[in-house]
Amino acid sequence: MNVRPPLAAPAPAVGTSRIHESARAQVAGAATYIDDIPEARGTLHAAPILSPVAHGRLRAVDTTAALAAPGVRGVVLAADIPGDPVLATFVHDEPIFAKDSVQHVGQVIGLVVADSAMAARRAARLVKPDIEPLPALLDARAAHAAQSYVLPPVVVRRGEPDTALAASGHVLEGQLEVGGQEHFYLEGQIAYALPLEQGQWRILSSTQHPGEVQHWVAHALGLANHAVTVECRRMGGGFGGKETQAGQMAVWAALAARKFRCPVKLRLDRDDDFMVTGKRHPFSYDWQVGFNDQGLITALKLTMLAHCGFSADLSGPVADRAIFHTDNAYFLSDVEIASYRCKTNTQSHTAFRGFGGPQGVIVIEAILGDIARHLGLDPLDVRRRNLYGVEDRNVTHYQMKVEDNILDPLITRLEADCGYRHRREALGAWNARSPVIKRGLAITPVKFGISFTATLFNQAGALVHVYTDGSVQVNHGGTEMGQGLNTKVAAIVADELGVPFERVLSTASDTSKVPNASATAASSGTDLNGRAAQYAARNVRDNLASFVCGLDGCGAGAIRFVGGQVISPKTVRSFDAVVKEAYANRIQLWSDGFYRTPKIHYDKATLTGRPFYYFSYGAACSEVVIDTLTGESRVLKVDILHDVGHSINPAIDVGQIEGGFVQGMGWLTTEQLVWNDKGYLSTHAPSTYKIPATGDIPEHFKVALWPEANREDNVGGSKAVGEPPFMLAISVYEALRNAIAAGRSGEAPAKPVVLTAPATAENVLRALGRLS
Ligand code: MTE
Ligand code: HPA
Ligand code: MOS
C-alpha cells in the first residue's frame, strides 16, 4: 500500500454539471423504452375499445365484427376481471372497464387482443357498443350548477374577508377561465405484462409510481402484492401524466395476459392517449378583491372550480395544492377560498407539473395585474408591496410561517439585471408609436411549496451495493423520466463514498428492490431518494471506516473518503483495495437507506399546518409582442432568476428551468383543448393541439441561479427544481395582458383585461374586444 498524500482533491460530483446518465444512449437511439425491449415469444397486443358517447347506459357490446377481423384472438371485458372490477385508487370510484354505464368519450369499455398492435387497433374500431345517451356535464360551471362533485368542497378562511371587503377603499371583481393541458410525453402510455411461473407477474411499465402499479395489478388480479413485480428503467417523459394513469395500461395488459395466458403489450396510439387519459385540470374562478390606494390587498374572496372529469383520481390533492398556492408570494390577511371538485363527463384530469399550483398562482397574479391597471400603478410595485414580509406578514392563509423568504432581494436583482424599469419606459414610448403591434412586459415571482401535500408520501428508500472491484450500483424508489434524478443520485452516492462519479451506476426502478416507494412527483425525487441513497452509502462507508481504523488503530471519524482513496492518519489506500480487503474480512459492502422528511404535518380537514418542508423561489421577466389585428403573439425576451439552493447539477437544473418555463408557456399560449358539444375532444393529435416548438423559444432566454443554499437541511444544500419554474411562465400571460391593455388604451380607469387562457389568437382578440 502506498503511503502518499493524494495529488489534488478532485472536484466532488455534487455541484458539478454532469452529463445526464442516459444522454449519450438517448442521442444514439440506444436507450431502451418499453416498446424497444425485445418481445417474449408469443406476445400479443391489446388495443382499447372506446366509448363514443360522453354519458349513457351501456346496454350491450357487440364484438362480432371485431372477433372476425384478421389476427384477432379475442376481447377482454369487465366480466373477465377476477379481482375487484374497480381500480384500487384512493377514492375507489373508477371502473377498470366501463360496465352498465359510460362516463366520457374515450372511456375504455374493454380490449381487443390480437397478434399485432395494428390488428388490435383496427379491430377495436369494429366493436359496436350499444349506448342509450344520457345528459352530459361538460364543464366545471355546468357541473357546479348541478352540484356534481367527485369530492366534497373545501373552504379555507382567515380573518374576516366579508368585513374587510366592505371596508376596502377599492373593490374589483371578475371571472377567469384557464384551460387544461395535455402532457404530450414523447413516449406514450405503455405497459407490458409478463406472466411468470406459479401465479407471479412481471410488469414493465412506463410509470412514475411502480409501487402503485404493483398494487393496482395485484388488486385487479386478486393477488397479493408480493406476486407482482413492476419495473421501469426510464420514461420518455411523464410530467405527472404517469403518476397514476400509467396504472390503467398495466392493469389492462395484465388482465389480457391472464385471459390469453401469454405476455401482452398495450401501447396507446397517440390519438387514443389523448382520448383516454386525463390532463391538467381546467379551472374556472370567481373573485372579489379589496385593496387600498397603493394596491395593497385588504380582502380576497375566491371561488375555484376544478374541472375533474368523471373520477376523483388525484383531484383532491391537486385542488388542495391550488388552495395552498393562491397566495403565490403574497400575504393575504383576510381571505376566503372555496374550492369545488367538479365531476364532469370527460377524461379524469390528473397530476401535471405544478399539480394545481399553477392554477392557484395564475389567479392571484391576474388579480394583481388588474389592481395595478385599475390604479394606474406599475404592476411590479403592486406585486412587491403585497409580498410576504420577513419579520411580519409572514404567515400563510394555511397557518404556515414563511421562514425562508428570499423574494425581495431576488426580485431586486432580477429587476436590475433585466433592466425592467427602463424597458418599461422604452416600451411605453414604442407602443405609442406603433398603432397595430403592441409590446408587453411583466415580472412575476413564484414561491412553491416542496413536499407531497399528503404527508405520508414524504418517505423514500434506497439500496447501495459496492461490488468487490469497487464499482457501485445504486437503486432507489424514484423513477427517471428525463429530469436527471438518476444522475443526481449517482453524484450524491459518489461523493458519499469518495469515488469518481463514473464508478456509480443507477439501475432500473424495481418494486422487488425498494418496496412501497412513493410516486416520483411533487418535485421531491432528489430530496427523498437522494437522501435515502446518501444514507445507504453512508452505512457502507461507516463499515469500511470501522474496518480501516481497526487496521490503523485510529478513530473511525479520522478516516476520509475522497478522490477514490481512503485516507487514515497513517495510510492512504485506494477505495478498490479497501473494498477487496474488507470483503476478504467479511465486512458488509451494501446497505439500505431510509429517509422521511422532517418537520411537516397538517390537518387534512382544515388544510392548516406545515404541509411543506421549504419553499422554492424564482422570478421571471417576459417581454411579448402581439398583433392587435390578428391576435397573434410571440415571446421575445425572457430573463429568469431561480432558486435551486446549492445546485447538485447546474446543467440539469438549468435544463429543468428552461423546460418547465417553455412547457408553462405552452399551457398559457398555444395548447388549447377543445371538447365539442358532445364531449368529444376535437384536439386529439399534434395536427390540432400545439405544444411549443423550437421556433417558439424566445431568442433572448437567460437563466441565472440564485447562489444561496437551502436554509433547511436538504441533500447537498439543494432545492427541488422540477415544477416551480413552470409557474414562471405566468409572466408571459401577464406580459400579454400588458400588451392587450396597450392595445385598448384610452380607457380611464383601465378596465380589467379578461384574457381566457390559453392566449390563442382568438382569445387575444376577445380580450381586445375585437371578437365576441
Ligand atoms: N422533466 C422531464 N424531462 N420529464 C418529465 O416528465 N416531470 C416533471 C419534472 N421535470 C418531468 C420533468 C414533474 S411533473 C415532476 S413532479 C418532476 O420532474 C419529478 O421529478 P423530480 O422530483 O425528480 O424532480
Ligand atoms: N404533488 C404531486 N403528487 C402528489 C402530491 C403532490 O403534492 N400529493 C399527492 N400526490
Ligand atoms: Mo409531478 S405533477 O408532481 O408528477
Side-chain angles (χ1 to χ4, degrees), residues 608-633:
T608 53
R610 177 176 181 159
F612 306 120
Y613 186 34
Y614 63 88
F615 293 102
S616 288
Y617 296 93
C621 179
S622 293
E623 183 173 338
V624 303
V625 62
I626 62 167
D627 180 328
T628 57
L629 294 181
T630 64
E632 290 164 282
S633 65

Side-chain angles (χ1 to χ4, degrees), residues 223-530:
L223 299 171
N225 286 350
H226 72 192
V228 180
T229 297
V230 178
E231 235 180 82
C232 175
R233 171 58 184 93
R234 63 171 66 77
M235 282 159 274
F239 306 111
K242 295 171 181 170
E243 182 171 339
T244 53
Q245 298 200 6
Q248 280 87 337
M249 310 315 121
V251 167
W252 293 330
L255 288 168
R258 179 185 168 275
K259 178 161 180 179
F260 296 97
R261 299 177 181 279
C262 57
V264 170
K265 189 153 85 177
L266 196 169
R267 174 166 60 81
L268 286 186
D269 168 71
R270 180 66 65 178
D271 299 72
D272 287 351
D273 203 322
F274 265 86
M275 298 306 281
V276 171
T277 66
K279 331 224 164 280
R280 177 185 297 286
H281 292 67
F283 266 57
S284 301
Y285 314 80
D286 294 288
W287 54 266
Q288 284 180 293
V289 67
F291 49 97
N292 70 14
D293 292 341
Q294 283 76 48
L296 188 78
I297 293 178
T298 44
L300 175 67
K301 289 189 74 172
L302 172 68
T303 300
M304 291 201 270
L305 309 181
H307 177 151
C308 300
F310 80 102
S311 72
D313 185 80
L314 292 165
S315 295
V318 166
D320 288 351
R321 194 176 267 275
I323 297 175
F324 287 131
H325 286 80
T326 296
D327 59 345
N328 188 19
Y330 313 108
F331 178 68
L332 302 171
S333 58
D334 294 84
V335 53
E336 180 181 287
I337 303 165
S339 160
Y340 295 90
R341 292 97 206 265
C342 301
K343 178 172 176 170
T344 52
N345 295 108
T346 65
Q347 294 86 346
S348 185
H349 296 318
T350 191
F352 196 141
R353 206 170 197 167
F355 202 79
Q359 292 97 320
V361 173
I362 192 168
V363 65
I364 192 71
E365 292 300 342
I367 289 169
L368 285 163
D370 286 340
I371 292 175
R373 255 185 302 281
H374 181 80
L375 295 173
L377 298 174
D378 186 291
L380 184 60
D381 293 336
V382 171
R383 290 193 160 92
R384 296 197 71 150
R385 197 158 289 144
N386 281 284
L387 287 179
Y388 278 108
V390 173
E391 300 299 332
D392 58 354
R393 293 169 45 85
N394 60 2
V395 176
T396 66
H397 55 299
Y398 49 90
Q399 308 305 328
M400 174 169 170
K401 192 167 170 196
V402 184
E403 294 169 341
D404 55 6
N405 188 356
I406 51 168
L407 273 176
D408 189 63
L410 188 146
I411 295 173
T412 301
R413 201 179 114 189
L414 176 70
E415 187 183 332
D417 289 355
C418 76
Y420 175 79
R421 298 285 163 182
H422 77 78
R423 278 168 66 193
R424 280 281 294 187
E425 268 178 41
L427 213 105
W430 192 91
N431 279 339
R433 291 193 310 271
S434 175
V436 172
I437 307 295
K438 298 288 182 184
R439 294 193 180 199
L441 182 71
I443 288 184
T444 61
V446 70
K447 158 182 142 290
F448 191 77
I450 302 299
S451 292
F452 283 93
T453 54
T455 305
L456 83 158
F457 294 149
N458 296 288
Q459 56 172 308
L463 286 175
V464 167
H465 297 174
V466 176
Y467 293 95
T468 50
D469 64 351
S471 66
V472 183
Q473 268 192 5
V474 55
N475 189 276
H476 55 83
T479 55
E480 176 63 43
M481 60 193 97
Q483 86 279 38
L485 174 60
N486 282 349
T487 313
K488 289 182 174 180
V489 172
I492 291 163
V493 169
D495 279 5
E496 200 61 33
L497 296 174
V499 299
F501 175 70
E502 294 70 26
R503 294 294 274 176
V504 183
L505 198 70
S506 289
T507 58
S509 312
D510 182 334
T511 56
S512 67
K513 284 196 170 175
V514 173
N516 312 326
S518 298
T520 307
S523 303
S524 37
T526 303
D527 292 14
L528 298 172
N529 300 289

Side-chain angles (χ1 to χ4, degrees), residues 484-713:
L485 174 60
N486 282 349
T487 313
K488 289 182 174 180
V489 172
I492 291 163
V493 169
D495 279 5
E496 200 61 33
L497 296 174
V499 299
F501 175 70
E502 294 70 26
R503 294 294 274 176
V504 183
L505 198 70
S506 289
T507 58
S509 312
D510 182 334
T511 56
S512 67
K513 284 196 170 175
V514 173
N516 312 326
S518 298
T520 307
S523 303
S524 37
T526 303
D527 292 14
L528 298 172
N529 300 289
R531 255 281 150 82
Q534 185 177 45
Y535 289 171
R538 189 165 298 170
N539 290 339
V540 177
R541 192 186 69 178
D542 288 349
N543 291 348
L544 294 174
S546 308
F547 171 65
V548 170
C549 70
L551 298 178
D552 288 3
C554 57
I559 314 289
R560 292 193 302 125
F561 290 73
V562 65
Q565 294 180 313
V566 181
I567 304 164
S568 85
K570 268 203 192 150
T571 324
V572 176
R573 301 172 175 86
S574 76
F575 180 81
D576 297 356
V578 170
V579 164
K580 260 196 194 66
E581 212 169 318
Y583 171 75
N585 283 277
R586 297 183 294 171
I587 303 297
Q588 187 177 342
L589 293 177
W590 57 274
S591 177
D592 63 333
F594 181 77
Y595 175 70
R596 59 177 159 198
T597 311
K599 295 191 179 178
I600 49 177
H601 62 88
Y602 87 103
D603 179 337
K604 274 196 205 131
T606 58
L607 297 200
T608 53
R610 177 176 181 159
F612 306 120
Y613 186 34
Y614 63 88
F615 293 102
S616 288
Y617 296 93
C621 179
S622 293
E623 183 173 338
V624 303
V625 62
I626 62 167
D627 180 328
T628 57
L629 294 181
T630 64
E632 290 164 282
S633 65
R634 279 197 70 78
V635 181
L636 300 174
K637 276 190 176 184
V638 174
D639 293 271
I640 291 173
L641 180 55
H642 196 72
D643 161 35
V644 296
H646 275 171
S647 175
I648 289 179
N649 187 321
I652 283 179
D653 285 349
V654 168
Q656 284 290 298
I657 295 166
E658 292 170 344
F661 183 90
V662 171
Q663 197 169 37
M665 257 173 63
W667 171 50
L668 293 171
T669 55
T670 56
E671 296 186 39
Q672 190 176 31
L673 293 162
V674 180
W675 283 272
N676 72 12
D677 61 358
K678 301 274 184 290
Y680 173 86
L681 177 64
S682 323
T683 52
H684 57 76
S687 52
T688 45
Y689 185 82
K690 294 297 178 190
I691 61 170
T694 43
D696 296 310
I697 292 170
E699 224 163 90
H700 172 108
F701 193 14
K702 294 244 152 70
V703 175
L705 301 179
W706 184 252
E708 195 189 331
N710 192 334
R711 293 185 194 171
E712 294 294 344
D713 176 20

